[in-house]
Amino acid sequence: MSKQVTPGRIPVVQKLLTANEQVAADNRDYFAAHNVTVINIMASPGAGKTTLLLATIDALPERRIGVIEGDVASQIDAEKIAETGTPVVQINTGGACHLDASMIRGALPALPLDDLEVVFVENVGNLICPVSFDLGQSYNVGLISLPEGDDKPYKYPGIFEAVDLVIVTKADLRPYLDFDLDRFTELVHGLNPDAPVLCLSAKTGEGLRDWLHWLEERLG
Amino acid sequence: MHELPVTEDILRIVAAHAQQAGATRVTRINLVIGELTSFIDDSIQFYFEMLSPGTPAEGATLHFTRIKTRFRCRRCAQEFEPEGRNWTCPACGALGGDVIAGKEFYVESIEVT
Ligand SMILES: Nc1nc2c(ncn2[C@@H]2O[C@H](COP(=O)(O)OP(=O)(O)OP(=O)(O)O)[C@@H](O)[C@H]2O)c(=O)[nH]1
Ligand SMILES: [Mg+2]
Ligand SMILES: [Zn+2]
């Protein structure tokens, strides 16, 4: 005998993606237990994520850095990082437009976490999707390159609201472009008054010091 | 693409609640999605049609309520909806505000028989 069911509406009010959030919380505990600061870097394809990581590794030889590279396909970015002697693991998402917490968990055994103090995660190039997937990171950093234009906060508010720091990259191209840095900063702060906005060039080194300073403050 | 795990999550939640109520068939699933999240109705619908057969949610209608982004002005506490390039508080002219709506993403209710 099956129990009588009254047809009707059942309130649920249950958040989606809690499975990812649970794994992210586990990752966060795991990183904390290893004393590792994790920095999730989000940006469009080609914004300069890998180039900034290479410049950072070069500038901080005494820091024990590891890298997780997320790409839809290929090992190209991981190979560039590996050439510096930095421990790196490549995740290929096989089509997915973002990294998620279980991909990070799967990559961890490939990193010598006991020997590291900071892990940079280069998320898949995309301004929208990565924002919805917590990885267990300590900080979110959003990069935007000058050629992308200063109106991006209007179009992609989610990422600018979610980050702890905004880096405008390719500062050396400023003479050729009409990117209004003051206007951009005003928009970012309209959404997120706590996120500093830095402008730097990983090519010339201009402004790199401010980023390294932000980073060193968080690594202690 | 990320609507696949999301749809699996929806089916899991719906099946659990239907079972708890002793219902065998779900006729409607009411979802609430904020404009700031990156989830697309059509894509959830697509995966739903692929994954729901054989579950209590087979044949159910998916209903999406979209929540617009809302700011609360940090200067005067006025609440308002930003529109495109207009992020200015209508009361005091300040730019932007704290996001108080637009990030929702949940199963609100289901209807069962
Ligand atoms: N002029 C200039 N070019 C830069 C700078 N940083 C990166 N680039 C160039 O921009 C292109 C993309 O840089 P990447 O570092 O590969 O960008 P990415 O964000 O890692 O790209 P994906 O991983 O493919 O999404 C390369 O040709 C870089 O040389 C910069 O500061 N100035
Ligand atoms: Mg790269
Ligand atoms: Zn106001």
Side-chain angles (χ1 to χ4, degrees), chain A residues 102-166:
Chain A
S102 58
M103 296 178 195
I104 298 298
R105 182 172 61 187
L108 293 181
L111 283 180
L113 279 193
D114 287 323
D115 302 331
L116 302 179
E117 56 190 320
V118 55
V119 170
F120 293 103
V121 178
E122 178 176 339
N123 217 310
V124 179
N126 185 318
L127 287 180
I128 304 172
C129 311
V131 182
S132 298
F133 293 83
D134 187 7
L135 307 178
Q137 70 277 0
S138 324
Y139 300 99
N140 283 316
V141 175
L143 263 59
I144 172 168
S145 59
L146 280 175
E148 293 170 65
D150 54 29
D151 60 355
K152 288 300 162 291
Y154 283 132
K155 297 182 178 172
Y156 305 97
I159 185 167
F160 293 101
E161 208 251 342
V163 294
D164 300 293
L165 172 70
V166 175

Short mmCIF file of all heavy atoms in Angstrom, two decimals, chain A residues 102-166:
data_model
loop_
_atom_site.label_atom_id
_atom_site.label_comp_id
_atom_site.label_asym_id
_atom_site.label_seq_id
_atom_site.Cartn_x
_atom_site.Cartn_y
_atom_site.Cartn_z
N SER A 102 36.09 20.14 -7.30
CA SER A 102 36.57 18.76 -7.36
C SER A 102 37.75 18.63 -8.34
O SER A 102 38.61 17.77 -8.15
CB SER A 102 35.44 17.79 -7.70
OG SER A 102 34.86 18.14 -8.91
N MET A 103 37.81 19.49 -9.36
CA MET A 103 38.99 19.47 -10.24
C MET A 103 40.23 19.88 -9.46
O MET A 103 41.32 19.31 -9.64
CB MET A 103 38.81 20.44 -11.42
CG MET A 103 37.67 20.09 -12.36
SD MET A 103 37.56 21.38 -13.64
CE MET A 103 35.94 21.04 -14.32
N ILE A 104 40.08 20.87 -8.58
CA ILE A 104 41.21 21.30 -7.75
C ILE A 104 41.63 20.16 -6.83
O ILE A 104 42.82 19.83 -6.71
CB ILE A 104 40.83 22.56 -6.92
CG1 ILE A 104 40.50 23.73 -7.83
CG2 ILE A 104 41.93 22.91 -5.92
CD1 ILE A 104 41.63 24.22 -8.70
N ARG A 105 40.64 19.54 -6.20
CA ARG A 105 40.95 18.43 -5.30
C ARG A 105 41.72 17.34 -6.04
O ARG A 105 42.70 16.79 -5.53
CB ARG A 105 39.66 17.85 -4.70
CG ARG A 105 39.92 16.72 -3.72
CD ARG A 105 38.68 16.28 -2.99
NE ARG A 105 37.67 15.79 -3.92
CZ ARG A 105 36.42 15.46 -3.55
NH1 ARG A 105 36.05 15.63 -2.29
NH2 ARG A 105 35.57 15.02 -4.43
N GLY A 106 41.29 17.05 -7.26
CA GLY A 106 41.95 16.02 -8.06
C GLY A 106 43.38 16.38 -8.41
O GLY A 106 44.23 15.50 -8.60
N ALA A 107 43.67 17.69 -8.48
CA ALA A 107 45.01 18.12 -8.88
C ALA A 107 45.99 18.16 -7.72
O ALA A 107 47.20 18.16 -7.92
CB ALA A 107 44.92 19.50 -9.53
N LEU A 108 45.47 18.20 -6.50
CA LEU A 108 46.35 18.45 -5.34
C LEU A 108 47.45 17.41 -5.13
O LEU A 108 48.58 17.79 -4.79
CB LEU A 108 45.50 18.60 -4.07
CG LEU A 108 44.64 19.86 -4.07
CD1 LEU A 108 43.85 19.97 -2.77
CD2 LEU A 108 45.51 21.10 -4.28
N PRO A 109 47.17 16.13 -5.34
CA PRO A 109 48.25 15.15 -5.11
C PRO A 109 49.48 15.41 -5.99
O PRO A 109 50.59 14.97 -5.65
CB PRO A 109 47.60 13.81 -5.48
CG PRO A 109 46.14 14.04 -5.30
CD PRO A 109 45.90 15.48 -5.66
N ALA A 110 49.30 16.13 -7.09
CA ALA A 110 50.43 16.39 -7.99
C ALA A 110 51.28 17.57 -7.53
O ALA A 110 52.30 17.87 -8.15
CB ALA A 110 49.91 16.63 -9.41
N LEU A 111 50.87 18.25 -6.47
CA LEU A 111 51.65 19.40 -5.97
C LEU A 111 52.27 19.08 -4.62
O LEU A 111 51.61 18.51 -3.75
CB LEU A 111 50.74 20.63 -5.82
CG LEU A 111 50.35 21.40 -7.07
CD1 LEU A 111 49.45 22.57 -6.69
CD2 LEU A 111 51.57 21.91 -7.83
N PRO A 112 53.53 19.48 -4.41
CA PRO A 112 54.19 19.24 -3.11
C PRO A 112 53.75 20.30 -2.09
O PRO A 112 54.52 21.17 -1.72
CB PRO A 112 55.67 19.38 -3.46
CG PRO A 112 55.71 20.34 -4.61
CD PRO A 112 54.42 20.16 -5.37
N LEU A 113 52.50 20.20 -1.63
CA LEU A 113 51.92 21.27 -0.81
C LEU A 113 52.72 21.57 0.45
O LEU A 113 52.76 22.70 0.91
CB LEU A 113 50.48 20.93 -0.42
CG LEU A 113 49.39 21.20 -1.45
CD1 LEU A 113 48.03 21.10 -0.80
CD2 LEU A 113 49.57 22.56 -2.11
N ASP A 114 53.36 20.53 1.02
CA ASP A 114 54.13 20.75 2.25
C ASP A 114 55.29 21.72 2.02
O ASP A 114 55.75 22.36 2.95
CB ASP A 114 54.66 19.42 2.79
CG ASP A 114 53.52 18.59 3.41
OD1 ASP A 114 52.63 19.21 4.02
OD2 ASP A 114 53.53 17.36 3.25
N ASP A 115 55.75 21.78 0.79
CA ASP A 115 56.90 22.64 0.48
C ASP A 115 56.48 24.00 -0.08
O ASP A 115 57.33 24.78 -0.50
CB ASP A 115 57.79 21.97 -0.57
CG ASP A 115 58.29 20.61 -0.10
OD1 ASP A 115 58.43 20.45 1.13
OD2 ASP A 115 58.51 19.73 -0.96
N LEU A 116 55.17 24.27 -0.15
CA LEU A 116 54.72 25.50 -0.80
C LEU A 116 54.10 26.46 0.21
O LEU A 116 53.58 26.04 1.24
CB LEU A 116 53.69 25.19 -1.88
CG LEU A 116 54.14 24.24 -3.00
CD1 LEU A 116 53.00 23.99 -3.97
CD2 LEU A 116 55.35 24.81 -3.73
N GLU A 117 54.17 27.76 -0.12
CA GLU A 117 53.45 28.73 0.71
C GLU A 117 52.32 29.41 -0.05
O GLU A 117 51.41 29.97 0.55
CB GLU A 117 54.40 29.76 1.33
CG GLU A 117 55.25 30.49 0.32
CD GLU A 117 56.34 31.32 0.98
OE1 GLU A 117 56.09 31.93 2.02
OE2 GLU A 117 57.45 31.35 0.43
N VAL A 118 52.39 29.39 -1.37
CA VAL A 118 51.31 30.01 -2.15
C VAL A 118 51.08 29.18 -3.42
O VAL A 118 52.02 28.69 -4.03
CB VAL A 118 51.64 31.49 -2.48
CG1 VAL A 118 52.97 31.64 -3.18
CG2 VAL A 118 50.53 32.13 -3.34
N VAL A 119 49.82 29.01 -3.73
CA VAL A 119 49.45 28.35 -4.99
C VAL A 119 48.58 29.32 -5.79
O VAL A 119 47.57 29.82 -5.29
CB VAL A 119 48.69 27.03 -4.74
CG1 VAL A 119 48.10 26.49 -6.05
CG2 VAL A 119 49.60 25.98 -4.10
N PHE A 120 49.02 29.60 -7.00
CA PHE A 120 48.20 30.38 -7.92
C PHE A 120 47.38 29.43 -8.77
O PHE A 120 47.92 28.47 -9.32
CB PHE A 120 49.08 31.23 -8.84
CG PHE A 120 49.84 32.31 -8.13
CD1 PHE A 120 51.19 32.16 -7.85
CD2 PHE A 120 49.19 33.47 -7.71
CE1 PHE A 120 51.90 33.15 -7.19
CE2 PHE A 120 49.89 34.47 -7.04
CZ PHE A 120 51.25 34.31 -6.78
N VAL A 121 46.10 29.73 -8.88
CA VAL A 121 45.25 28.95 -9.76
C VAL A 121 44.92 29.85 -10.95
O VAL A 121 44.30 30.90 -10.79
CB VAL A 121 43.94 28.53 -9.07
CG1 VAL A 121 43.05 27.75 -10.04
CG2 VAL A 121 44.23 27.70 -7.82
N GLU A 122 45.37 29.47 -12.15
CA GLU A 122 44.97 30.21 -13.34
C GLU A 122 43.68 29.58 -13.84
O GLU A 122 43.68 28.48 -14.40
CB GLU A 122 46.05 30.18 -14.44
CG GLU A 122 45.57 30.93 -15.69
CD GLU A 122 46.58 31.06 -16.82
OE1 GLU A 122 47.80 30.95 -16.57
OE2 GLU A 122 46.13 31.28 -17.96
N ASN A 123 42.56 30.25 -13.61
CA ASN A 123 41.27 29.70 -14.01
C ASN A 123 41.13 29.75 -15.53
O ASN A 123 41.91 30.40 -16.23
CB ASN A 123 40.14 30.48 -13.32
CG ASN A 123 38.98 29.59 -12.92
OD1 ASN A 123 38.49 28.81 -13.74
ND2 ASN A 123 38.55 29.69 -11.69
N VAL A 124 40.13 29.08 -16.06
CA VAL A 124 39.87 29.08 -17.49
C VAL A 124 39.51 30.52 -17.92
O VAL A 124 38.81 31.22 -17.20
CB VAL A 124 38.71 28.13 -17.82
CG1 VAL A 124 38.40 28.13 -19.32
CG2 VAL A 124 39.02 26.72 -17.34
N GLY A 125 40.03 30.93 -19.07
CA GLY A 125 39.78 32.29 -19.55
C GLY A 125 38.30 32.52 -19.81
O GLY A 125 37.75 31.99 -20.77
N ASN A 126 37.67 33.31 -18.93
CA ASN A 126 36.22 33.50 -18.99
C ASN A 126 35.85 34.48 -17.88
O ASN A 126 36.29 34.30 -16.75
CB ASN A 126 35.56 32.13 -18.74
CG ASN A 126 34.06 32.13 -18.90
OD1 ASN A 126 33.38 33.03 -18.47
ND2 ASN A 126 33.55 31.10 -19.53
N LEU A 127 35.06 35.49 -18.19
CA LEU A 127 34.71 36.48 -17.16
C LEU A 127 33.42 36.13 -16.41
O LEU A 127 33.04 36.83 -15.49
CB LEU A 127 34.53 37.87 -17.80
CG LEU A 127 35.80 38.58 -18.25
CD1 LEU A 127 35.46 39.93 -18.87
CD2 LEU A 127 36.77 38.75 -17.11
N ILE A 128 32.75 35.07 -16.82
CA ILE A 128 31.42 34.82 -16.27
C ILE A 128 31.40 33.58 -15.37
O ILE A 128 31.11 33.66 -14.18
CB ILE A 128 30.40 34.63 -17.41
CG1 ILE A 128 30.42 35.87 -18.32
CG2 ILE A 128 29.00 34.44 -16.84
CD1 ILE A 128 29.60 35.73 -19.57
N CYS A 129 31.71 32.43 -15.97
CA CYS A 129 31.42 31.16 -15.30
C CYS A 129 32.26 30.89 -14.04
O CYS A 129 31.72 30.41 -13.05
CB CYS A 129 31.55 30.03 -16.29
SG CYS A 129 30.65 30.38 -17.82
N PRO A 130 33.58 31.17 -14.07
CA PRO A 130 34.39 30.81 -12.89
C PRO A 130 33.86 31.44 -11.60
O PRO A 130 34.04 30.88 -10.52
CB PRO A 130 35.78 31.36 -13.24
CG PRO A 130 35.83 31.32 -14.72
CD PRO A 130 34.43 31.72 -15.16
N VAL A 131 33.20 32.57 -11.72
CA VAL A 131 32.74 33.29 -10.52
C VAL A 131 31.78 32.43 -9.70
O VAL A 131 31.73 32.54 -8.47
CB VAL A 131 32.04 34.60 -10.95
CG1 VAL A 131 31.59 35.39 -9.73
CG2 VAL A 131 32.95 35.43 -11.83
N SER A 132 31.01 31.58 -10.35
CA SER A 132 29.98 30.80 -9.65
C SER A 132 30.53 29.57 -8.93
O SER A 132 29.79 28.90 -8.23
CB SER A 132 28.91 30.34 -10.63
OG SER A 132 28.27 31.45 -11.21
N PHE A 133 31.82 29.27 -9.15
CA PHE A 133 32.36 28.03 -8.60
C PHE A 133 33.49 28.30 -7.62
O PHE A 133 34.62 28.60 -8.02
CB PHE A 133 32.83 27.11 -9.73
CG PHE A 133 31.70 26.61 -10.57
CD1 PHE A 133 31.18 27.38 -11.60
CD2 PHE A 133 31.11 25.38 -10.31
CE1 PHE A 133 30.11 26.93 -12.36
CE2 PHE A 133 30.04 24.92 -11.06
CZ PHE A 133 29.53 25.70 -12.09
N ASP A 134 33.17 28.20 -6.34
CA ASP A 134 34.17 28.34 -5.30
C ASP A 134 35.15 27.18 -5.42
O ASP A 134 34.74 26.04 -5.68
CB ASP A 134 33.47 28.30 -3.94
CG ASP A 134 34.39 28.62 -2.78
OD1 ASP A 134 35.55 28.99 -3.03
OD2 ASP A 134 33.94 28.49 -1.62
N LEU A 135 36.44 27.45 -5.27
CA LEU A 135 37.46 26.40 -5.37
C LEU A 135 38.06 26.07 -4.01
O LEU A 135 38.72 25.05 -3.86
CB LEU A 135 38.59 26.86 -6.31
CG LEU A 135 38.18 27.33 -7.70
CD1 LEU A 135 39.41 27.79 -8.48
CD2 LEU A 135 37.44 26.22 -8.45
N GLY A 136 37.84 26.96 -3.05
CA GLY A 136 38.52 26.83 -1.76
C GLY A 136 39.68 27.82 -1.66
O GLY A 136 40.54 27.69 -0.79
N GLN A 137 39.71 28.79 -2.55
CA GLN A 137 40.80 29.78 -2.59
C GLN A 137 40.74 30.71 -1.38
O GLN A 137 39.71 30.86 -0.73
CB GLN A 137 40.70 30.63 -3.88
CG GLN A 137 39.52 31.59 -3.93
CD GLN A 137 38.23 30.93 -4.39
OE1 GLN A 137 38.19 29.75 -4.68
NE2 GLN A 137 37.15 31.70 -4.44
N SER A 138 41.90 31.33 -1.13
CA SER A 138 41.96 32.36 -0.08
C SER A 138 41.53 33.71 -0.64
O SER A 138 40.88 34.50 0.04
CB SER A 138 43.38 32.49 0.46
OG SER A 138 44.03 31.23 0.51
N TYR A 139 41.96 34.00 -1.88
CA TYR A 139 41.66 35.29 -2.51
C TYR A 139 41.31 35.08 -3.98
O TYR A 139 41.86 34.20 -4.64
CB TYR A 139 42.86 36.24 -2.43
CG TYR A 139 43.29 36.55 -1.03
CD1 TYR A 139 44.36 35.86 -0.45
CD2 TYR A 139 42.61 37.49 -0.26
CE1 TYR A 139 44.75 36.13 0.86
CE2 TYR A 139 42.99 37.75 1.05
CZ TYR A 139 44.06 37.07 1.60
OH TYR A 139 44.44 37.31 2.89
N ASN A 140 40.42 35.97 -4.46
CA ASN A 140 40.13 36.04 -5.89
C ASN A 140 40.77 37.28 -6.46
O ASN A 140 40.61 38.38 -5.90
CB ASN A 140 38.61 36.17 -6.11
CG ASN A 140 37.89 34.85 -5.92
OD1 ASN A 140 38.34 33.81 -6.40
ND2 ASN A 140 36.76 34.90 -5.23
N VAL A 141 41.47 37.11 -7.57
CA VAL A 141 42.05 38.26 -8.25
C VAL A 141 41.49 38.29 -9.68
O VAL A 141 41.51 37.27 -10.38
CB VAL A 141 43.59 38.18 -8.28
CG1 VAL A 141 44.19 39.31 -9.11
CG2 VAL A 141 44.14 38.22 -6.85
N GLY A 142 40.97 39.42 -10.08
CA GLY A 142 40.44 39.58 -11.44
C GLY A 142 41.42 40.38 -12.27
O GLY A 142 41.91 41.42 -11.84
N LEU A 143 41.74 39.89 -13.46
CA LEU A 143 42.61 40.63 -14.38
C LEU A 143 41.77 41.12 -15.54
O LEU A 143 40.89 40.41 -16.02
CB LEU A 143 43.69 39.70 -14.96
CG LEU A 143 45.06 39.68 -14.31
CD1 LEU A 143 44.94 39.30 -12.86
CD2 LEU A 143 45.98 38.72 -15.05
N ILE A 144 42.08 42.30 -16.00
CA ILE A 144 41.47 42.77 -17.23
C ILE A 144 42.56 43.52 -17.99
O ILE A 144 43.31 44.30 -17.39
CB ILE A 144 40.24 43.65 -16.95
CG1 ILE A 144 39.76 44.27 -18.24
CG2 ILE A 144 40.52 44.72 -15.91
CD1 ILE A 144 38.42 44.91 -18.14
N SER A 145 42.69 43.24 -19.28
CA SER A 145 43.74 43.91 -20.03
C SER A 145 43.18 45.18 -20.66
O SER A 145 41.99 45.24 -21.00
CB SER A 145 44.31 42.97 -21.09
OG SER A 145 43.30 42.55 -21.97
N LEU A 146 44.02 46.16 -20.83
CA LEU A 146 43.59 47.45 -21.37
C LEU A 146 42.78 47.35 -22.66
O LEU A 146 41.78 48.04 -22.80
CB LEU A 146 44.82 48.35 -21.59
CG LEU A 146 45.38 49.05 -20.35
CD1 LEU A 146 46.66 49.79 -20.73
CD2 LEU A 146 44.38 50.03 -19.78
N PRO A 147 43.17 46.48 -23.61
CA PRO A 147 42.40 46.44 -24.86
C PRO A 147 40.95 45.99 -24.69
O PRO A 147 40.13 46.21 -25.58
CB PRO A 147 43.17 45.42 -25.72
CG PRO A 147 44.52 45.34 -25.12
CD PRO A 147 44.35 45.63 -23.67
N GLU A 148 40.60 45.40 -23.54
CA GLU A 148 39.23 44.92 -23.36
C GLU A 148 38.24 46.06 -23.13
O GLU A 148 37.03 45.86 -23.27
CB GLU A 148 39.16 43.92 -22.19
CG GLU A 148 39.90 42.64 -22.49
CD GLU A 148 40.04 41.77 -21.25
OE1 GLU A 148 39.01 41.31 -20.74
OE2 GLU A 148 41.17 41.56 -20.79
N GLY A 149 38.72 47.21 -22.72
CA GLY A 149 37.83 48.36 -22.56
C GLY A 149 37.41 48.60 -21.12
O GLY A 149 37.30 47.68 -20.33
N ASP A 150 37.12 49.88 -20.81
CA ASP A 150 36.83 50.25 -19.42
C ASP A 150 35.37 50.05 -19.03
O ASP A 150 34.98 50.35 -17.90
CB ASP A 150 37.27 51.70 -19.17
CG ASP A 150 36.65 52.67 -20.17
OD1 ASP A 150 35.56 52.39 -20.67
OD2 ASP A 150 37.30 53.70 -20.46
N ASP A 151 34.55 49.54 -19.95
CA ASP A 151 33.13 49.35 -19.61
C ASP A 151 32.82 47.95 -19.08
O ASP A 151 31.67 47.61 -18.85
CB ASP A 151 32.25 49.62 -20.85
CG ASP A 151 32.58 48.68 -22.01
OD1 ASP A 151 33.55 47.88 -21.89
OD2 ASP A 151 31.87 48.73 -23.03
N LYS A 152 33.84 47.14 -18.86
CA LYS A 152 33.60 45.75 -18.47
C LYS A 152 32.81 45.58 -17.16
O LYS A 152 32.01 44.65 -17.06
CB LYS A 152 34.91 44.95 -18.42
CG LYS A 152 35.48 44.65 -19.80
CD LYS A 152 34.51 43.84 -20.64
CE LYS A 152 34.82 43.89 -22.12
NZ LYS A 152 34.58 45.21 -22.75
N PRO A 153 32.98 46.45 -16.16
CA PRO A 153 32.16 46.26 -14.95
C PRO A 153 30.66 46.31 -15.23
O PRO A 153 29.87 45.61 -14.58
CB PRO A 153 32.60 47.40 -14.03
CG PRO A 153 34.01 47.69 -14.46
CD PRO A 153 34.00 47.51 -15.96
N TYR A 154 30.26 47.11 -16.21
CA TYR A 154 28.83 47.14 -16.57
C TYR A 154 28.38 45.80 -17.14
O TYR A 154 27.28 45.35 -16.91
CB TYR A 154 28.58 48.18 -17.67
CG TYR A 154 28.57 49.62 -17.23
CD1 TYR A 154 29.31 50.57 -17.93
CD2 TYR A 154 27.77 50.03 -16.16
CE1 TYR A 154 29.28 51.91 -17.57
CE2 TYR A 154 27.74 51.37 -15.80
CZ TYR A 154 28.49 52.30 -16.50
OH TYR A 154 28.45 53.61 -16.14
N LYS A 155 29.26 45.21 -17.94
CA LYS A 155 28.86 44.00 -18.67
C LYS A 155 29.06 42.72 -17.86
O LYS A 155 28.35 41.75 -18.07
CB LYS A 155 29.66 43.90 -19.98
CG LYS A 155 29.37 45.05 -20.92
CD LYS A 155 30.12 44.89 -22.21
CE LYS A 155 29.79 46.02 -23.18
NZ LYS A 155 30.66 45.97 -24.35
N TYR A 156 30.04 42.73 -16.98
CA TYR A 156 30.34 41.54 -16.18
C TYR A 156 30.43 41.90 -14.70
O TYR A 156 31.48 41.72 -14.08
CB TYR A 156 31.66 40.90 -16.66
CG TYR A 156 31.66 40.59 -18.13
CD1 TYR A 156 32.24 41.46 -19.05
CD2 TYR A 156 31.05 39.42 -18.62
CE1 TYR A 156 32.21 41.19 -20.41
CE2 TYR A 156 31.02 39.15 -19.96
CZ TYR A 156 31.60 40.03 -20.86
OH TYR A 156 31.59 39.75 -22.20
N PRO A 157 29.34 42.41 -14.15
CA PRO A 157 29.42 42.87 -12.75
C PRO A 157 29.78 41.74 -11.79
O PRO A 157 30.46 41.99 -10.79
CB PRO A 157 28.00 43.41 -12.46
CG PRO A 157 27.12 42.86 -13.54
CD PRO A 157 28.00 42.61 -14.74
N GLY A 158 29.38 40.51 -12.11
CA GLY A 158 29.60 39.40 -11.18
C GLY A 158 31.05 39.26 -10.78
O GLY A 158 31.36 39.12 -9.59
N ILE A 159 31.96 39.30 -11.73
CA ILE A 159 33.37 39.07 -11.40
C ILE A 159 33.94 40.23 -10.59
O ILE A 159 34.67 40.03 -9.62
CB ILE A 159 34.22 38.78 -12.67
CG1 ILE A 159 35.65 38.42 -12.27
CG2 ILE A 159 34.21 39.93 -13.66
CD1 ILE A 159 36.48 37.84 -13.39
N PHE A 160 33.56 41.45 -10.95
CA PHE A 160 34.13 42.60 -10.24
C PHE A 160 33.60 42.69 -8.81
O PHE A 160 34.24 43.25 -7.94
CB PHE A 160 33.90 43.88 -11.03
CG PHE A 160 34.67 43.89 -12.31
CD1 PHE A 160 34.05 43.60 -13.53
CD2 PHE A 160 36.04 44.11 -12.31
CE1 PHE A 160 34.77 43.57 -14.71
CE2 PHE A 160 36.77 44.07 -13.49
CZ PHE A 160 36.13 43.80 -14.69
N GLU A 161 32.45 42.10 -8.60
CA GLU A 161 31.88 42.09 -7.25
C GLU A 161 32.54 41.01 -6.40
O GLU A 161 32.59 41.11 -5.18
CB GLU A 161 30.38 41.84 -7.36
CG GLU A 161 29.58 42.43 -6.23
CD GLU A 161 29.04 41.37 -5.30
OE1 GLU A 161 28.99 40.18 -5.70
OE2 GLU A 161 28.69 41.72 -4.17
N ALA A 162 33.05 39.96 -7.07
CA ALA A 162 33.55 38.78 -6.35
C ALA A 162 35.03 38.85 -5.98
O ALA A 162 35.51 38.05 -5.20
CB ALA A 162 33.31 37.52 -7.19
N VAL A 163 35.78 39.79 -6.57
CA VAL A 163 37.24 39.74 -6.40
C VAL A 163 37.74 40.59 -5.24
O VAL A 163 37.08 41.53 -4.79
CB VAL A 163 37.97 40.16 -7.70
CG1 VAL A 163 37.71 39.15 -8.81
CG2 VAL A 163 37.56 41.56 -8.13
N ASP A 164 38.94 40.23 -4.76
CA ASP A 164 39.59 40.96 -3.68
C ASP A 164 40.57 41.99 -4.23
O ASP A 164 41.05 42.86 -3.50
CB ASP A 164 40.35 39.98 -2.78
CG ASP A 164 39.39 38.96 -2.17
OD1 ASP A 164 38.55 39.37 -1.36
OD2 ASP A 164 39.47 37.77 -2.54
N LEU A 165 40.91 41.84 -5.50
CA LEU A 165 41.87 42.75 -6.14
C LEU A 165 41.58 42.74 -7.64
O LEU A 165 41.29 41.68 -8.20
CB LEU A 165 43.31 42.25 -5.89
CG LEU A 165 44.42 42.98 -6.63
CD1 LEU A 165 44.61 44.39 -6.09
CD2 LEU A 165 45.75 42.21 -6.54
N VAL A 166 41.68 43.90 -8.26
CA VAL A 166 41.54 43.99 -9.72
C VAL A 166 42.87 44.48 -10.28
O VAL A 166 43.44 45.46 -9.80
CB VAL A 166 40.42 44.97 -10.12
CG1 VAL A 166 40.37 45.14 -11.64
CG2 VAL A 166 39.07 44.49 -9.60
#
